[in-house]
Amino acid sequence: MGIVQKFIFAVLLAAIALVVTACGSSGENTADSASKWDQMKENGTIKVGTAGTLYPASYHDSESDQLTGFDVEVVREMAKRMGLEAEFVEMAFDGMLTSLNSGTIDIAANDISITEDRKEKFAFSIPYKHSFATAIVRKDDLSGIDTIEDVKGKKAAGEATTIYMDIARKYGAEEVIYDNATNEQYLRDVSSGRTDIIINDYYLQKLGIAAFPDLNITIHPDLKFETPDQGAGIIMKKDNNQLKEQIDQTLQEMLEDGTISELSKQFFGGDDVTKKPDLNY
């Protein structure tokens, strides 16, 4: 065989190897997804990342100190219907995404907004909560914010990778980053003037205000934000196809039979967050 023929033969072998490798990788991803679901069923548990500090989505009951909350109880019931026990691991939101990729947890549930950017890197369940964003400010002077333009230069509290901090950045706020802080810390810092504004979920803020009536805080009457999310759902690794299928099917059943609606009313003061809000304000 001449040099030219040998070169062509080598290129053909390399091309075939690439095709075989690509096909093998696709098959392995499918197999991995199936084996993970099988392993989960065999172990009887599903590891869930959640904050444990975000009232009323995921927090500790003041009397029993037991982990509870809307997202926590949705996942507990979902896992039960799937024949699994939910094992919760408490961590900050950024840690949840890292832990999903490393396999430390199987899913995360923590009022997590479904966005296009996140869908490029992770898989989401169908949404089971819908809302919009509002702003907590000081009650006596609205933190010096009359219009949306006044947010520029104000100190906005939040976690770095949330859609709410994205909104604050968009309007030129100065970021004050917290790592899995409690609702009380966030609210007290606005009240005391350490920070000026918290942009976050309306339902969470409504309950936060009610829980601390003595603080100098209120929801700004004129600031509302239509977030770029598609509801809130459970987040998991991108290739967990079988797990996603099981979760979606179970959540759909829970939405249809009213279970999630009842949990919503229990944790959100009678509000049904399973329904999309009217944003004609």
Side-chain angles (χ1 to χ4, degrees):
M1 183 182 293
I3 294 175
V4 174
Q5 287 85 352
K6 286 182 179 178
F7 175 76
I8 294 172
F9 183 66
V11 170
L12 285 172
L13 284 178
I16 292 170
L18 284 172
V19 172
V20 171
T21 301
C23 292
S25 298
S26 175
E28 286 171 4
N29 286 340
T30 303
D32 286 348
S33 176
S35 65
K36 286 174 186 175
W37 170 239
D38 290 338
Q39 185 178 17
M40 211 174 290
K41 289 191 295 182
E42 183 177 345
N43 294 337
T45 59
I46 182 169
K47 291 187 178 180
V48 187
T50 196
T53 58
L54 183 63
Y55 178 82
S58 170
Y59 66 98
H60 286 264
D61 182 81
S62 58
E63 294 183 2
S64 66
D65 198 38
Q66 294 297 308
L67 181 68
T68 187
F70 174 64
D71 289 71
V72 170
E73 299 305 334
V74 166
V75 168
R76 277 202 176 113
E77 176 62 22
M78 178 196 77
K80 180 181 176 182
R81 295 188 186 199
M82 292 166 61
L84 304 172
E85 181 179 353
E87 180 182 317
F88 292 94
V89 183
E90 296 177 41
M91 60 185 71
F93 176 68
D94 290 350
M96 295 176 204
L97 303 184
T98 303
S99 296
L100 283 171
N101 280 327
S102 69
T104 305
I105 58 175
D106 302 308
I107 62 174
N110 197 66
D111 194 46
I112 301 173
S113 299
I114 303 169
T115 67
E116 289 301 322
D117 287 344
R118 289 174 184 166
K119 283 165 66 176
E120 290 180 5
K121 301 174 183 177
F122 298 93
F124 275 94
S125 71
I126 60 172
Y128 55 86
K129 176 178 179 283
H130 298 275
S131 187
F132 59 98
T134 49
I136 283 182
V137 293
R138 283 183 290 282
K139 185 187 296 184
D140 58 1
D141 64 353
L142 299 182
S143 297
I145 301 171
D146 294 320
T147 67
I148 194 66
E149 287 77 16
D150 297 326
V151 172
K152 185 175 182 179
K154 298 296 182 182
K155 294 179 180 178
E159 291 194 48
T161 59
T162 65
I163 62 169
Y164 305 111
M165 189 55 79
D166 286 342
I167 294 171
R169 290 190 196 101
K170 176 181 176 182
Y171 291 104
E174 177 186 337
E175 301 172 47
V176 180
I177 303 302
Y178 291 68
D179 182 18
N180 208 30
T182 62
N183 292 52
E184 183 176 359
Q185 183 178 344
Y186 276 108
L187 299 175
R188 288 193 180 279
D189 283 353
V190 172
S191 181
S192 69
R194 180 176 181 268
T195 58
D196 300 307
I197 184 172
I198 306 167
I199 298 174
N200 210 304
D201 175 83
Y202 164 70
Y203 295 111
L204 299 185
Q205 293 197 328
K206 179 182 174 183
L207 290 174
I209 294 288
F212 299 96
D214 296 332
L215 294 182
N216 179 30
I217 53 175
T218 188
I219 293 177
H220 198 291
D222 300 320
L223 299 186
K224 296 181 178 68
F225 308 90
E226 185 170 4
T227 57
D229 66 273
Q230 302 158 36
I234 293 168
I235 190 170
M236 64 205 87
K237 284 189 75 171
K238 188 79 171 178
D239 62 350
N240 279 355
N241 300 324
Q242 283 206 329
L243 178 59
K244 173 177 165 52
E245 183 180 337
Q246 294 294 325
I247 287 175
D248 283 350
Q249 179 180 329
T250 307
L251 288 177
Q252 187 61 45
E253 292 172 358
M254 292 169 64
L255 286 167
E256 290 175 358
D257 68 20
T259 299
I260 299 180
S261 178
E262 287 303 310
L263 287 171
S264 169
K265 292 172 184 176
Q266 175 185 337
F267 286 101
F268 289 98
D271 289 324
D272 188 354
V273 302
T274 67
K275 301 184 182 301
K276 292 185 179 181
D278 180 6
L279 294 179
N280 294 320
Y281 42 75

